[in-house]
Amino acid sequence: MKPKIVTFFSGVVVFLFSNAAIFAQEAAGQATGVAHHALPETYTVIPFILLLLLIATGPLFFHHFWEHHYPKIAMLLGLTVVIYYLAVMHDTHSLLHTLAEYLSFIALLSSLFVASGGILIKVDKKSTPMLNAVILFFGAVIANIIGTTGASMLLIRPFIKINRNRIKPYHIIFFIFLISNIGGALTPIGDPPLFLGFLRGVDFFWFIEHIWYIWLPTVLFLILIFIMIDSRNKGEENGEENFSGKIELKGLKNLGYLLIILISVFLDPAVLSWVPSLEPLPFGIREIIMFAVVYASYKTADREILKANEFDFEPIKEVAYLFIGIFATMVPALQLIAHEANVLGNRLDAGIFYWSTGLLSGFLDNAPTYLNFLSAAMGKFGLDINVTQHVKDFAAMHPLYLQAVSVGAVYFGAMSYIGNGPNFMVKSITERAGVKMPSFFAYMIKYSIPILIPTFLIIWLIFYYGAG
Amino acid sequence: MKTLNEVLESGLHGLYYGNRILLPFRADILKAIIENDIIMDFSSNSVGGEYNVYDDFTEIYFYEYKDISEDVTEFETIKLILVEFGEDIFDFKNHRKIALHVKEHHKLEIEELNNDILLIE
């Protein structure tokens, strides 16, 4: 069954390529902001909603069925929208644009995932609330350099190991809050939604410039709560154990690969004019470098480190398959939301965008949600997310809205296991280490609702209440 | 019957067939981790897992898996916390942590867990 679907999907991709001439014409139109298509029918968002609901419920309620069939389900739902756009709307431009965005997205995520999987950090120190707090802060910072995925992969094992004698679920939950989500709000590498914003035209340093003064107090506030909880955990007394205090880092060459990924993010003709464009191909030099890093970093990785990290392609394979479906099915949703926001106009303020982006990001995936609401916020001002110059203008003239959508998408990703890709990866690694994690609902009832919602409420009151 | 130490020293391997694994020593299984599943309830014969100790080997069934070779990939392991048969189960020093690597031809490589691989009891 699987090879047939792959062949079919490949056929569609080949068909898209065969329409490269049309794409080139429409790309020229886009540059002038005149590439417009008729709106899709409302029912075309059903595959998107269905896929997101299945992503939310599948791993919880029909785990083994979902594990074996999610690639087919995601692809089939994606194909229904692709066929609709080809056969009914005759719109190849939107599909090729989405394909290019998908390739950029998966190139970044997979390269960070594989490169960081070949690095092993050993910290032989006694677990204390202060040491944990330092690791959480350090992780939140480096999440902006190697992504929330990279930072989570790199630090979760040493974090569990340091706390092996007193580990409790809250350790991992705060790790998810800070390193897998909120930490990565300062750069496009930090979290996938911001990278999608960057691909659409938001300046790389826009995020750090406009979000740091929300980021720093949020991170410090959550770390303070963590210290208060962790100070009450005395754990097992283990007097026999001696700690050398040594910190060991193995797989240094993979740090070089991470640096290559970081540099390659900027290799975009829209960022650096001397970078050649490969249009009409739906990828560029950046993606080629990132995929080369995936191959090279895996092939040259120390097998002992991969073994120690229990490296497995499954988590990134899952993201790659699901996001084929998500990216394809979200095309009509993006266009419809942008249109609706345009119609609703002034009734939507920055606070509404903060909460609506956030609450949906908490339960759906935050990357497509970000694009939907960025599109909506831009639509309010008559701007089109598909036009790079419009995105740049929006970031310059309406920073409050872009900030609200960005903070909402990144921060609220911590609300549930399904809010952001690394959340599930961290949960999975922790459970494979033998630590039982709270269920989907227990995570929210015991942790994210009582801790994060009040925090997010304070942010709203200070920065967005009555603003915009 | 071989002891766990003899098995580890001589590099003897276990076996797997579908969702059943066979270990060439006798042991009480306290905790098994396969993929994301942490199995500690061996009381039921319909969910989670079940193990039986025979004269020369120990067998474990993982009910949620049809074929473990499809789920456990190259660098992944099945992890077990066990106590060798006859040892004092209440003494934590007797709790051994082992990893099982799924290899070709139904072979299970048995390895005592080193500090690099995480397993919290």
Side-chain angles (χ1 to χ4, degrees), chain A residues 122 161 428 432-434, chain B residues 31 35-36 76 79 116 120:
Chain A
K122 289 182 179 181
K161 212 169 282 180
S428 168
R432 283 162 198 238
Chain B
K31 190 171 184 175
E35 294 282 293
N36 288 3
E76 289 185 298
K79 296 181 227 176
D116 281 345
I120 310 288

Side-chain angles (χ1 to χ4, degrees), chain A residues 184-238:
Chain A
L186 297 181
T187 68
I189 301 173
D191 214 25
L194 306 189
F195 187 65
L196 291 183
F198 171 69
L199 292 177
R200 294 279 175 159
V202 181
D203 185 59
F204 187 91
F205 295 104
W206 187 95
F207 300 100
I208 194 162
E209 194 183 321
H210 292 86
I211 296 179
W212 75 268
Y213 54 84
I214 303 176
W215 181 91
L216 189 62
T218 312
V219 167
L220 292 178
F221 180 65
L222 288 174
I223 287 178
L224 188 68
I225 297 173
F226 172 82
I227 291 173
M228 283 160 60
I229 298 171
D230 205 30
S231 301
R232 297 169 62 187
N233 175 1
K234 300 299 171 199
E236 282 175 31
E237 290 302 326
N238 204 338

Side-chain angles (χ1 to χ4, degrees), chain A residues 64 68 122 157 160-161 164 167 298 303 306-308 310-312 428 431-436, chain B residues 31 33 35-38 64-65 71 73-77 79 101 111 115-120:
Chain A
H64 287 277
H68 285 104
K122 289 182 179 181
R157 288 188 178 84
I160 294 172
K161 212 169 282 180
R164 61 188 173 276
I167 193 148
Y298 180 68
R303 301 283 110 177
L306 292 180
K307 199 173 148 188
E310 296 172 76
F311 185 83
D312 179 19
S428 168
E431 286 178 334
R432 283 162 198 238
V435 181
K436 192 84 185 150
Chain B
K31 190 171 184 175
I33 295 153
E35 294 282 293
N36 288 3
D37 292 325
I38 302 171
E64 305 290 323
Y65 296 82
D71 293 294
T73 56
E74 187 184 356
F75 297 110
E76 289 185 298
T77 58
K79 296 181 227 176
H101 301 271
E111 180 190 34
N115 283 334
D116 281 345
I117 296 180
L118 287 172
L119 180 52
I120 310 288

Side-chain angles (χ1 to χ4, degrees), chain A residues 223-434:
Chain A
I223 287 178
L224 188 68
I225 297 173
F226 172 82
I227 291 173
M228 283 160 60
I229 298 171
D230 205 30
S231 301
R232 297 169 62 187
N233 175 1
K234 300 299 171 199
E236 282 175 31
E237 290 302 326
N238 204 338
E240 292 169 25
E241 205 161 353
N242 291 316
F243 298 93
S244 64
K246 260 174 49 180
I247 298 174
E248 209 180 323
L249 187 65
K250 286 182 178 176
L252 279 176
K253 62 173 173 282
N254 281 41
L255 288 178
Y257 286 126
L258 288 175
L259 188 65
I260 293 171
I261 297 166
L262 182 61
I263 293 167
S264 68
V265 166
F266 296 94
L267 297 179
D268 187 304
V271 182
L272 300 165
S273 57
W274 53 267
V275 175
S277 165
L278 302 185
E279 272 186 19
L281 293 174
F283 54 83
I285 301 288
R286 173 180 56 208
E287 286 72 34
I288 293 173
I289 293 172
M290 285 178 178
F291 283 126
V293 167
V294 171
Y295 181 79
S297 60
Y298 180 68
K299 282 292 169 190
T300 61
D302 185 329
R303 301 283 110 177
E304 285 306 308
I305 293 175
L306 292 180
K307 199 173 148 188
N309 280 339
E310 296 172 76
F311 185 83
D312 179 19
F313 277 104
E314 185 57 37
I316 197 66
K317 201 179 97 188
E318 188 174 350
V319 170
Y321 274 122
L322 291 179
F323 274 78
I324 286 179
I326 288 173
F327 272 70
T329 56
M330 77 177 175
V331 177
L334 278 174
Q335 292 176 344
L336 287 168
I337 286 182
H339 173 74
E340 286 305 315
N342 220 343
V343 173
L344 288 170
N346 288 336
R347 276 185 280 169
L348 304 176
D349 64 15
I352 291 176
F353 278 105
Y354 168 75
W355 283 111
S356 45
T357 311
L359 289 171
L360 280 174
S361 292
F363 304 100
L364 305 179
D365 193 275
N366 62 357
T369 309
Y370 175 81
L371 275 192
N372 277 321
F373 282 92
L374 177 57
S375 174
M378 289 180 65
K380 175 181 160 73
F381 300 99
L383 300 169
D384 183 351
I385 193 173
N386 291 310
V387 183
T388 307
Q389 192 53 49
H390 283 196
V391 178
K392 289 184 185 300
D393 292 345
F394 179 69
M397 293 187 294
H398 308 285
L400 187 71
Y401 284 86
L402 182 52
Q403 185 197 60
V405 172
S406 303
V407 170
V410 176
Y411 279 25
F412 283 70
M415 280 299 294
S416 75
Y417 285 131
I418 57 172
N420 198 12
N423 302 7
F424 242 116
M425 284 159 59
V426 168
K427 176 181 183 280
S428 168
I429 289 169
T430 308
E431 286 178 334
R432 283 162 198 238

